[in-house]
Amino acid sequence: MELYLAKQDGQKGKKIALDDMILTKDMPTTAGSKMLENYMSLFDAEVVERLTASGYAIGGKANVGEMCIDLLGETSYYGAVEGEDGTLMTASAMLVKNGEADAAIGLDANGTPRRAAALNGLVCIKPTYGTVSRFGTVSIACSGETVTVTANDVSTAKNVLDAIVGHDDKDGTSLPEEKCAKVKAAEFVPAKRVAVARSLTESASEAIKQKIADAVDAFKANGIEVVEIDDSLLLTAKNAWNILMSAELCNNVSRYDGVKYGYRTKNYTTIDELYTNSRTEAFGELLKTAILFGSETLSDYNYMKMYDKGLRIRRVLSEKFDEIFESFDAVLMPASAKSAYTKADTEENKYIAYDENLYTAPATITGVPAVIAGGVQLLGKAFSENVLLDLAKKLEGAGK
Amino acid sequence: MDREILRRLEKLNQLQLTEEQKDSFLAFYAKQTEEMAILDSVDTESVERMVHVMPIYTVVREDKVIKKYSREDLQKGAPETTEGYWQVPRLVE
């Protein structure tokens, strides 16, 4: 399996792998889907322009799961990526881990880049929503999806993040420059108190609990107070985000109809057959499931109890985080239930990503920043990336 | 959720599932709705909906042309075009 679906050689500078959710004018963008096989964008995504302007080299486009909503890229039309031991990995995580790329840029709509980083002992930053432009990313779940940076170490991740953070007029959800500047600040900020999410930790495997325990020890050894908290409300994030993500996805992928660009079936005589057969032949099962589920959450009889409820739960969660961050600098929690997954896991449960976002949805649905290091996840209040990165430095090297 | 509703959903979304995929979807949907009890356990009656996680600043701005693509550029990725138009089957008899 090729990790890069398209490569770009001969450039100078530190090499960046772009998840194939990021539009590039010189290389195809497939989003891991047959629908966009060989699709060429007319423009580069804003993050690509910022990276090249900062002297980074774009190494190529890393294979991703279809529309990046799966567990670890297993639904890619171009094939899943497995490590030598048979464990699933995303292509970008493998490229960074084996040194073929200095860092990877991903799109976190359902936690995939964070999950992959945690499973491979890498560092990943999902910055505060709105601080990195989404202009030129394949839209999936616009209200929560965020561009991410994955690297082998904190300082590389921070440098790449600094290159892409900033206001962009072309993204309607982009925050003003003065807000983005807080993320770009050079100084790391030491944390005094860290909360441990009790229920989320207890729900994970023994191996993951050990990673959390190791992180707690590392923090305590650095004089940081660590306190376990009741996180039962955070458990609602998974189902609320499943609804919101699917509803937004359903609308976002309605543009793929076989007319203006992308795959077109050969089997049609009417316009309805053209639409239906193109989408049926080009979309994978998980994507179809997400579309149909999302559509149903928006139906007149389900809207209030599903979609509307999801939006209200989002505010409840946001206010809960506000309350937590009045007393703590960060929340420590797992990024996945297990420390490794294989194809057998995804064959046994095709919808496993809808369960595994138990750990990633709290940050996605509220837009707060999250950092992965040492195989664990740290969440902080908006614009507290430098607090999370300072904590991450204390975990570097662990979790591999 | 039953197969009739699923059939309507498929039609609405211009998609078709195989019989096996329909069974899987119905099981998935049943699990999702069952798990939604956790959402119902939170009283949100007086809670305002939160559509955007951050305030929106740039929704309205002056219109200005910042980049212009030719018709040919815009149709480069089209599966089929005729005389500068996207080609689709006849819609009106």
Side-chain angles (χ1 to χ4, degrees):
Chain A
M1 173 69 238
E2 288 294 323
L3 301 178
Y4 277 126
L5 293 177
K7 277 182 91 168
Q8 199 162 264
D9 294 321
Q11 292 188 324
K12 289 182 179 164
K14 291 206 171 221
K15 197 183 275 187
I16 305 291
L18 298 174
D19 268 2
D20 209 16
M21 302 295 294
I22 313 291
L23 296 182
T24 43
K25 64 180 182 220
D26 298 325
M27 292 177 282
T29 302
T30 70
S33 181
K34 179 179 180 178
M35 178 57 83
L36 291 175
E37 191 173 15
N38 300 318
Y39 170 72
M40 292 297 292
S41 168
L42 293 174
F43 56 87
D44 282 331
E46 178 68 13
V47 289
V48 176
E49 293 200 350
R50 287 182 186 236
L51 285 166
T52 48
S54 297
Y56 288 99
I58 304 301
K61 307 296 288 291
N63 188 16
V64 292
E66 190 173 30
M67 305 292 165
C68 79
I69 59 166
D70 62 0
L71 186 74
L72 290 159
E74 72 278 5
T75 62
S76 171
Y77 174 66
Y78 309 95
V81 175
E82 292 173 284
E84 285 176 7
D85 58 357
T87 55
L88 283 170
M89 288 177 86
T90 61
S92 54
M94 191 179 269
L95 286 162
V96 171
K97 191 173 185 179
N98 68 18
E100 285 185 69
D102 293 290
I105 299 293
L107 186 71
D108 189 329
N110 203 23
T112 311
R114 274 179 282 158
R115 194 176 297 122
L119 296 174
N120 289 285
L122 301 172
V123 174
C124 178
I125 310 173
K126 183 196 87 72
T128 305
Y129 182 88
T131 58
V132 176
S133 172
R134 291 183 299 109
F135 178 78
T137 61
V138 178
S139 296
I140 303 300
C142 304
S143 76
E145 71 195 14
T146 312
V147 171
T148 58
V149 179
T150 299
N152 271 303
D153 57 82
V154 170
S155 82
T156 304
K158 165 71 174 162
N159 289 338
V160 175
L161 179 69
D162 286 352
I164 60 173
V165 163
H167 175 74
D168 177 17
D169 268 343
K170 301 185 293 302
D171 175 357
T173 59
S174 180
L175 293 171
E177 198 58 52
E178 61 266 27
K179 301 258 184 197
C180 299
K182 295 179 188 175
V183 176
K184 261 197 262 193
E187 304 80 27
F188 283 1
V189 181
K192 294 192 178 93
R193 297 188 86 208
V194 171
V196 180
R198 185 188 299 134
S199 310
L200 287 167
T201 303
E202 282 174 359
S203 69
S205 68
E206 290 305 316
I208 297 294
K209 282 181 196 155
Q210 187 56 53
K211 286 178 194 286
I212 296 285
D214 292 345
V216 169
D217 289 345
F219 294 153
K220 284 183 176 171
N222 281 277
I224 298 165
E225 187 184 356
V226 183
V227 179
E228 220 176 55
I229 59 162
D230 174 9
D231 62 340
S232 47
L233 203 52
L234 301 186
L235 304 181
T236 60
K238 177 186 96 165
N239 293 94
W241 183 241
N242 282 348
I243 292 168
L244 299 185
M245 177 189 73
S246 303
E248 293 177 27
L249 170 91
C250 153
N251 285 292
N252 273 320
V253 301
S254 64
R255 75 190 69 189
Y256 304 118
D257 56 8
V259 173
K260 295 176 288 299
Y261 55 90
Y263 175 82
R264 176 181 285 198
T265 180
K266 291 184 171 54
N267 175 29
Y268 68 94
T269 49
T270 66
I271 188 73
D272 273 337
E273 284 175 359
L274 188 157
Y275 292 150
T276 302
N277 294 344
S278 296
R279 288 162 63 82
T280 299
E281 290 166 20
F283 289 161
E285 186 177 353
L286 180 65
L287 181 58
K288 286 176 185 162
T289 299
I291 293 168
L292 295 171
F293 177 59
S295 177
E296 182 65 357
T297 67
L298 294 167
S299 64
D300 57 354
Y301 48 88
N302 274 328
Y303 182 86
M304 289 306 289
K305 66 180 179 193
M306 295 174 92
Y307 185 73
D308 184 90
K309 185 77 180 181
L311 292 177
R312 290 171 197 259
I313 292 286
R314 168 182 270 164
R315 184 170 301 280
V316 170
L317 287 166
S318 193
E319 288 174 355
K320 179 66 183 174
F321 273 130
D322 288 346
E323 180 194 314
I324 291 171
F325 294 135
E326 274 178 21
S327 310
F328 296 94
D329 298 303
V331 180
L332 170 65
M333 63 173 71
S336 61
K338 300 202 299 178
S339 54
Y341 296 84
T342 64
K343 273 189 178 173
D345 291 307
T346 58
E347 284 161 6
E348 190 185 341
N349 178 5
K350 287 180 280 192
Y351 314 115
I352 190 169
Y354 271 80
D355 295 330
E356 282 289 327
N357 68 7
L358 176 69
Y359 306 99
T360 51
T364 315
I365 195 170
T366 55
V368 299
V371 167
I372 301 290
V376 298
Q377 182 174 212
L378 293 154
L379 273 59
K381 67 179 176 185
F383 315 112
S384 72
E385 279 80 350
N386 283 350
V387 177
L388 301 181
L389 289 170
D390 194 64
L391 285 167
K393 277 196 88 65
K394 296 168 177 45
L395 305 177
E396 269 187 320
K400 299 218 180 204
Chain B
M1 170 70 71
D2 56 28
R3 283 182 117 75
E4 177 54 26
I5 293 175
L6 178 53
R7 193 191 63 75
R8 289 211 311 265
L9 272 181
E10 287 177 271
K11 190 167 166 34
L12 182 67
N13 290 283
Q14 306 277 10
L15 280 176
Q16 283 178 343
L17 299 181
T18 64
E19 288 307 309
E20 192 186 340
Q21 288 172 346
K22 284 179 188 173
D23 289 337
S24 295
F25 177 83
L26 291 171
F28 166 82
Y29 186 82
K31 182 169 181 278
Q32 292 300 315
T33 48
E34 191 182 307
E35 286 184 0
M36 243 171 277
I38 194 172
L39 303 187
D40 295 334
S41 71
V42 183
D43 180 7
T44 55
E45 202 169 319
S46 58
V47 176
E48 201 180 323
R49 300 189 307 166
M50 191 176 195
V51 178
H52 300 290
V53 293
M54 296 286 161
I56 298 293
Y57 293 90
T58 55
V59 171
V60 180
R61 62 172 187 258
E62 289 292 310
D63 286 343
K64 62 178 177 184
V65 178
I66 52 172
K67 194 172 275 186
K68 195 175 176 185
Y69 298 110
S70 68
R71 180 183 287 249
E72 290 72 27
D73 283 341
L74 292 168
Q75 292 189 323
K76 265 181 193 162
E80 201 176 347
T81 57
T82 303
E83 296 174 5
Y85 294 94
W86 282 286
Q87 175 76 46
V88 293
R90 179 185 290 274
L91 298 173
V92 180
E93 290 300 329

